[in-house]
Amino acid sequence: MPTMTTAETAYRSRAPWWFNLAGHLLEPWVRIRRDPAEPAALLKSDATVCYVIERDGLSDALILDRACREAGLPSPMQPLAYTRRRRSVFALARRDGEVFGRNRKRSPNEPIGQLIRSLDVFPDHDIQIVPVSIYVGRAPSRETGWFSVLFSENWVMVGRFRRMLALLLNGRDTVVHFSAPVSLRSVMAESGELRQERFARKIARVLRTHFRRIRAAVIGPDLSHRRTVVHAVLNAEPVRNAITATAAKEGIGNAKAFERAHKMAMEIAADYSHPVVRSLSFLLRNFWNKLYDGITMHHFDKVRAAAPGYEVVYVPSHRSHADYLLMSYQLHASGVVVPHIAAGVNLNLPLIGPLLRRGGAFFLRRSFKGNALYPVIFNEYMAQLIDRGVPIEYFIEGGRSRTGRLLAPRAGLLAMTVRAFLRAPRRPVLFQPVYIGYEKLMEGKSYAGELSGKPKEKESLLGLIRGLGVLRQRYGHVALNFGEPIELTPMLDAASKDWREITADSNVKPEWLNHVVDKLAEQIQININRAADVNPINLLALALLATPKHAMAENDLLTQLDLMKSLFEQLPYSDRMTLTPLAPAAIVAYGEQMGWITRVRHPLGDVLTVEGEPAVLLSYFRNNVQHIIAPAAWVACCFLNNRRMTRASILRLGRIIYPFIQGELFLPWDSEGFGQQLQATIDFFVRRGLLEATGEGRVLERGPGQDDAAYQLRVIARGLIQAFERYYIAIAALVKNGPHTVTAAELENICTLTAQRLSLLSEPSAPEFFDKALFRGFIQKLREGRVVWTDDNGKLDYDSALEGMVRDARVILAREMRHSILKITGGDPEKESARPAAKQAEAAQSPEPDPSAEQGELPLNTSEELHERHVIVEHREHDHVAADHDKHV
């Protein structure tokens, strides 16, 4: 074998003159990238080299010959030693043809048979088979024209004319992948006494599997034919049983039931097309450049490293219709297979629906109720995708967030994914949370309208055309932050050691399944929030919307921005959170450039303000990152109406309120971890001079109400105070109506109307303040804590533990706000929370367990707690916000 030191000494080619001429003609049109860059290191020096390519063709032979020459490898065109073969290369698949076609009677396994026979004749000889994959036109980041994407690499064996066009258009993006060589003699020894024909078929089968795996990794799985997947779905046993049951129940024939099932499967299934995906990628590149100032991905390298070997399920936050396209485009541009995306059937519009379907979208109905056949078919379709290793993407929030917060998860698709894995756990499942952060939303105005009570506008082609006007604007930067991935297998191991014994029977539902799915859903939301991107618009919204008139003097705004940036830098929410590198002055300038804030010139100093509709829309971006500032906001809330508080009181009250804000904001800590975060935040405020620690750090004190430090604390506190106002509304409404009078749904409606009324009177620019889902979550947390429960008639009853919550509210909420809420609700929980003795006796006889036995009364009788209350009451100071605002604006 020749020494492989340089290309000049290592390469020996005996190709005919016409082959060399064709190579010279093709050379200007092809630029080759080898993978790995130095494939010579893979080969053994004591064995003959025989290359195997996936498809027969002159162009592939020319590309392989040139790649070997440039890498210093033996020529594929030279005779193969110890055999009668004239070339050191053969193809697994042979193209049919009349003019240039070869003898099709030869089996594609025959070259392998020749190699095997040569080893029998020469027992001291070995042949190393090197699989080589050739892809023309894979790299999407270097596309040069619209037409070229139609001739990029795919799964179809194309003709010579199409291959020639692909080389002319995409030849400069050619990848030649050299796999590790396989010792034919070693494989023969491991296979035992197989006949030559069977052994040749086995080698060919292994090579075909290898080429399919490499091709799937490079250009995605072969799901181009929708009917293939639909056929597999309809022939699955659960679907066949459901068809038979439907036919018997409705008295129709099996053929008619099958036709109905086929129609449903076709309605669901994606029709993935590589040329369409490439074409959309080309379109979207220009579209994003006109719409956004940049799209940034963070921590994607960690995803790329963790994903191999897993069935990847992308679970991003859902804030815009652009989420679908942004994710798919960025993944494709990064060389990762585009996932199949679960989309609502409302997006299956004329023209748009077929295009999305060919881009990988599969459609699901909003509700599965009333149709026993549809959920079985959809479940089976999901199972087929997972079984085939197709990456999937769906939004567990169920719909787009109208407030900017993460919505409570709807775990239907998660449950389907888990059950599909339990049925056939061939490949481990990895859930990949993704935070998508915007600086301006195309749907912003419609979101604000819906939260104000306007009906949601139904998606339609005409509505889409009418909405094209929004494309004339610029929407700033977009961030895609990839959070910490979640493996399914460890969660199943923790839930049940025997989960692997679950059978393929779709009717088997282990009792621990719901718990696993709920825990998985919550962890996904937590990890999405942990990967938040804090952009300039988020910071401006946190600062300006915290003032009564949404205005701040420029110096105060710069100071506040510097404070928040320092807080996020010194106490990072997680290692996956990202923070804008802009300085405070640059953040203000960027906000003006984006049109979010307005500068009002004044001789005593400029004022930055946000007014009218922008103020409402800006609340969306405040809510994106409200969870990040929650610990600091809680500490600041404790000093809204109190000059002094003990550190122990802040921590104790924080642990009591934490379950409610944790469920609302998907915070990552347990109660102890939240306490540690509060400690670190207090220390930060002390270092910055916002608080003063006395009594060996046990007592904390802020400055007077007109002090700059007190003003900065008040701005931070506004990030959380509305949550406590909502909690107080719910308590007041519940007490006003009394026990056994309203259901949970009725209480939600009462709270929503009360919050809407209060918002009109004193809470402008806060449409999320009266979001019914937030009240629903708070009531649910009360029920989980056994403070509130449902009686036999479905009405709500409550415990005297509400007294403690009312007492805590007096520490945080100003008297004026409490009175405003009580005036609207007509109730006074501060006087009425303790029920009459007769009610208590009735509760004692009730079969419901006593909540106080589980919750316990607040420990207000200890000497330490009495001392804390004395300190709080003695130094209570009701600051006047309006007077303070006049000083700073």
Side-chain angles (χ1 to χ4, degrees):
M1 181 173 176
T3 304
M4 293 178 290
T5 55
T6 64
E8 290 76 10
T9 60
Y11 195 83
R12 295 185 296 121
S13 178
R14 297 183 183 179
W17 65 269
W18 57 266
F19 184 89
N20 293 327
L21 176 61
H24 286 299
L25 294 175
L26 185 64
E27 188 168 354
W29 302 95
V30 175
R31 183 180 299 123
I32 294 175
R33 178 169 63 88
R34 299 186 304 275
D35 182 22
E38 298 296 335
L42 300 174
L43 303 184
K44 299 177 181 179
S45 59
D46 58 347
T48 303
V49 177
C50 181
Y51 304 96
V52 55
I53 56 179
E54 187 177 9
R55 303 174 181 185
D56 186 25
L58 175 62
S59 61
D60 282 12
L62 291 171
I63 292 171
L64 174 62
D65 183 68
R66 177 177 162 187
C68 292
R69 182 174 69 250
E70 293 176 352
L73 298 178
S75 170
M77 304 308 294
Q78 69 184 11
L80 188 62
Y82 301 99
T83 70
R84 295 182 179 181
R85 293 193 57 78
R86 294 182 298 169
R87 302 286 180 257
S88 297
V89 61
F90 66 92
L92 283 182
R94 301 170 67 84
R95 184 186 296 109
D96 293 327
E98 296 297 333
V99 179
F100 298 100
R102 294 183 177 86
N103 182 5
R104 301 306 163 200
K105 294 182 181 180
R106 286 181 65 183
S107 168
N109 299 335
E110 186 171 334
I112 301 177
Q114 292 178 352
L115 303 184
I116 295 171
R117 288 190 291 272
S118 72
L119 295 185
D120 290 337
V121 176
F122 301 97
D124 296 330
H125 175 62
D126 190 14
I127 297 176
Q128 51 185 331
I129 299 178
V130 182
V132 182
S133 305
I134 299 173
Y135 305 107
V136 177
R138 169 60 188 91
S141 60
R142 298 188 292 273
E143 293 164 354
T144 56
W146 166 262
F147 199 59
S148 64
V149 300
L150 299 177
F151 297 93
S152 56
E153 196 70 50
N154 55 52
W155 286 84
V156 180
M157 181 179 287
V158 298
R160 292 181 175 84
F161 179 72
R162 184 180 175 90
R163 188 65 167 179
M164 182 185 69
L165 289 178
L167 286 167
L168 294 177
L169 295 170
N170 299 315
R172 292 174 180 82
D173 294 329
T174 298
V175 177
V176 179
H177 178 85
F178 291 87
S179 298
V182 178
S183 169
L184 189 58
R185 186 167 293 282
S186 298
V187 176
M188 288 179 63
E190 294 173 0
S191 301
E193 299 297 329
L194 283 179
R195 293 175 56 189
Q196 286 189 2
E197 294 81 2
R198 291 186 60 188
F199 183 66
R201 288 197 298 270
K202 178 182 177 181
I203 293 293
R205 185 168 61 250
V206 171
L207 288 171
R208 282 193 292 269
T209 302
H210 169 80
F211 280 121
R212 281 198 299 269
R213 187 171 64 250
I214 297 296
R215 184 170 289 270
V218 174
I219 66 175
D222 185 12
L223 290 179
S224 302
H225 298 292
R226 180 180 175 194
R227 63 180 178 272
T228 304
V229 183
V230 169
H231 177 78
V233 168
L234 296 178
N235 280 278
E237 184 178 353
V239 176
R240 292 202 309 269
N241 294 339
I243 291 173
T244 303
T246 300
K249 181 179 179 180
E250 300 185 12
I252 59 178
N254 277 344
K256 189 171 183 179
F258 181 86
E259 183 181 350
R260 183 185 301 178
H262 182 269
K263 185 176 180 181
M264 290 178 182
M266 294 296 287
E267 174 192 305
I268 294 169
D271 192 14
Y272 191 88
S273 167
H274 295 293
V276 170
V277 169
R278 296 293 303 275
S279 301
L280 287 174
S281 174
F282 176 82
L283 263 181
L284 289 174
R285 182 177 62 180
N286 297 323
F287 178 73
W288 298 141
N289 289 338
K290 293 179 180 179
L291 204 62
Y292 297 112
D293 296 325
I295 304 171
T296 308
M297 291 200 303
H298 298 108
H299 310 299
F300 180 70
D301 54 335
K302 299 176 183 178
V303 179
R304 192 192 295 273
Y310 285 91
E311 162 65 23
V312 181
V313 180
Y314 297 94
V315 277
S317 58
H318 198 12
R319 288 169 177 154
S320 171
H321 279 313
D323 297 342
Y324 302 95
L325 303 177
L326 278 168
M327 277 286 295
S328 295
Y329 172 79
Q330 287 297 110
L331 291 174
H332 183 70
S334 302
V336 176
V337 178
V338 174
H340 277 45
I341 307 171
V345 74
N346 56 309
L347 294 179
N348 193 14
L349 305 172
L351 301 179
I352 302 299
L355 194 62
L356 293 177
R357 196 184 293 276
R358 285 170 175 78
F362 60 97
F363 297 98
L364 71 156
R365 299 176 184 177
R366 291 297 183 186
S367 174
F368 291 3
K369 293 181 180 179
N371 192 327
L373 187 56
Y374 186 85
V376 177
I377 294 173
F378 192 89
N379 271 318
E380 185 59 35
Y381 180 76
M382 288 281 293
Q384 287 290 332
L385 294 184
I386 293 171
D387 188 50
R388 293 164 181 247
V390 180
I392 302 174
E393 176 188 336
Y394 49 71
F395 305 93
I396 65 172
E397 295 172 89
R400 291 165 292 152
S401 172
R402 266 67 176 175
T403 65
R405 300 167 181 258
L406 288 181
L407 303 179
R410 297 182 180 181
L413 287 174
L414 280 179
M416 293 180 193
T417 304
V418 174
R419 298 198 69 175
F421 173 72
L422 290 175
R423 196 180 79 176
R426 297 185 181 90
R427 178 181 299 192
V429 176
L430 186 77
F431 292 92
Q432 178 57 62
V434 185
Y435 175 95
I436 305 179
Y438 296 92
E439 293 179 348
K440 186 177 283 189
L441 280 177
M442 290 181 283
E443 301 97 332
K445 292 184 179 180
S446 65
Y447 287 175
E450 291 172 28
L451 288 171
S452 301
K454 295 180 181 179
K456 178 180 179 294
E457 190 172 328
K458 188 176 180 181
E459 286 83 359
S460 65
L461 186 60
L462 182 60
L464 179 65
I465 295 173
R466 285 201 305 264
L468 291 178
V470 300
L471 303 182
R472 292 194 293 266
Q473 303 179 35
R474 300 288 291 185
Y475 292 90
H477 292 81
V478 182
L480 274 68
N481 283 10
F482 290 83
E484 188 73 27
I486 304 167
E487 293 186 43
L488 178 58
T489 301
M491 299 190 73
L492 294 175
D493 289 336
S496 173
K497 296 180 180 179
D498 302 327
W499 67 266
R500 290 175 177 84
E501 298 178 6
I502 299 297
T503 66
D505 187 354
S506 60
N507 295 321
V508 174
K509 184 178 180 181
E511 59 182 13
W512 43 261
L513 180 62
N514 287 342
H515 173 72
V516 169
V517 171
D518 291 342
K519 185 178 179 181
L520 175 61
E522 182 181 13
Q523 192 60 50
I524 287 172
Q525 298 296 75
I526 288 173
N527 285 13
I528 289 176
N529 267 348
R530 285 170 58 87
D533 175 70
V534 184
N535 60 47
I537 310 306
N538 299 140
L539 291 172
L540 289 171
L542 285 171
L544 289 171
L545 296 185
T547 59
K549 288 191 175 182
H550 303 152
M552 295 180 76
E554 184 173 16
N555 288 338
D556 288 336
L557 179 57
L558 295 175
T559 301
Q560 194 70 31
L561 293 173
D562 179 70
L563 172 65
M564 290 190 292
K565 283 202 65 177
S566 298
L567 174 65
F568 298 152
E569 289 170 350
Q570 296 183 34
L571 301 177
Y573 189 77
S574 79
D575 58 349
R576 301 232 176 185
M577 186 197 85
T578 53
L579 178 65
T580 175
L582 296 182
I587 292 174
V588 172
Y590 187 73
E592 292 182 82
Q593 174 190 333
M594 290 287 293
W596 280 117
I597 60 177
T598 304
R599 180 181 294 271
V600 179
R601 302 288 181 181
H602 194 275
L604 299 182
D606 291 353
V607 173
L608 281 308
T609 181
V610 53
E611 299 176 346
E613 186 178 79
V616 178
L617 300 179
L618 205 59
S619 67
Y620 191 96
F621 302 95
R622 174 194 61 191
N623 295 340
N624 287 169
V625 296
Q626 204 164 33
H627 60 283
I628 296 178
I629 206 169
W634 166 251
V635 175
C637 280
C638 292
F639 293 92
L640 278 175
N641 305 301
N642 307 292
R643 182 75 177 273
R644 287 185 181 180
M645 281 194 74
T646 63
R647 187 184 292 254
S649 291
I650 297 173
L651 299 178
R652 180 184 63 82
L653 294 175
R655 292 189 181 99
I656 292 173
I657 203 68
Y658 181 67
F660 303 107
I661 60 175
Q662 194 276 337
E664 184 174 315
L665 299 176
F666 299 102
L667 302 181
W669 310 285
D670 57 14
S671 179
E672 189 64 29
F674 184 65
Q676 295 173 1
Q677 197 72 11
L678 294 182
Q679 292 273 29
T681 303
I682 291 171
D683 294 339
F684 171 82
F685 284 159
V686 171
R687 291 195 302 271
R688 294 283 298 200
L690 275 66
L691 296 174
E692 181 181 352
T694 60
E696 298 180 351
R698 291 186 298 105
V699 179
L700 301 165
E701 181 177 357
R702 66 162 171 84
Q706 296 77 21
D707 185 76
D708 286 342
Y711 178 75
Q712 293 172 24
L713 282 175
R714 187 156 44 253
V715 171
I716 291 178
R718 292 295 297 175
L720 206 57
I721 195 65
Q722 286 185 352
F724 302 134
E725 293 170 0
R726 281 196 306 275
Y727 302 161
Y728 196 77
I729 287 173
I731 295 172
L734 183 59
V735 171
K736 174 203 170 183
N737 288 276
H740 310 290
T741 56
V742 295
T743 64
E746 290 169 343
L747 181 59
E748 288 175 22
N749 290 329
I750 294 170
C751 293
T752 302
L753 293 174
T754 302
Q756 285 179 339
R757 176 74 172 173
L758 186 64
S759 180
L760 291 172
L761 295 173
S762 59
E763 292 285 341
S765 307
E768 81 286 349
F769 181 63
F770 43 84
D771 184 7
K772 184 181 290 188
L774 297 179
F775 286 109
R776 184 182 307 123
F778 176 66
I779 296 169
Q780 179 60 31
K781 285 295 181 181
L782 290 175
R783 296 171 71 173
E784 291 175 4
R786 304 300 296 163
V787 178
V788 171
W789 62 88
T790 304
D791 63 16
D792 294 338
N793 298 319
K795 305 295 184 180
L796 292 179
D797 194 6
Y798 51 88
D799 184 73
S800 58
L802 283 176
E803 294 179 32
M805 300 187 69
V806 171
R807 187 164 50 247
D808 295 338
R810 292 202 299 268
V811 176
I812 303 301
L813 295 182
R815 178 178 300 173
E816 292 80 2
M817 177 54 66
R818 300 201 312 272
H819 286 181
S820 297
I821 294 173
L822 297 177
K823 184 176 180 181
I824 297 174
T825 61
D828 191 347
E830 299 179 17
K831 295 180 180 179
E832 302 176 30
S833 57
R835 290 187 286 173
K839 291 287 186 181
Q840 294 181 8
E842 178 184 344
Q845 299 174 0
S846 171
E848 292 281 356
D850 181 13
S852 63
E854 299 180 25
Q855 280 290 103
E857 293 291 333
L858 295 177
L860 291 175
N861 295 325
T862 65
S863 58
E864 180 184 356
E865 195 64 35
L866 288 172
H867 172 70
E868 293 178 5
R869 291 177 57 190
H870 175 72
V871 170
I872 293 172
V873 173
E874 181 181 5
H875 297 281
R876 176 74 51 85
E877 177 182 290
H878 296 288
D879 298 316
H880 298 286
V881 174
D884 196 20
H885 177 260
D886 290 341
K887 172 187 179 296
H888 288 275
V889 180

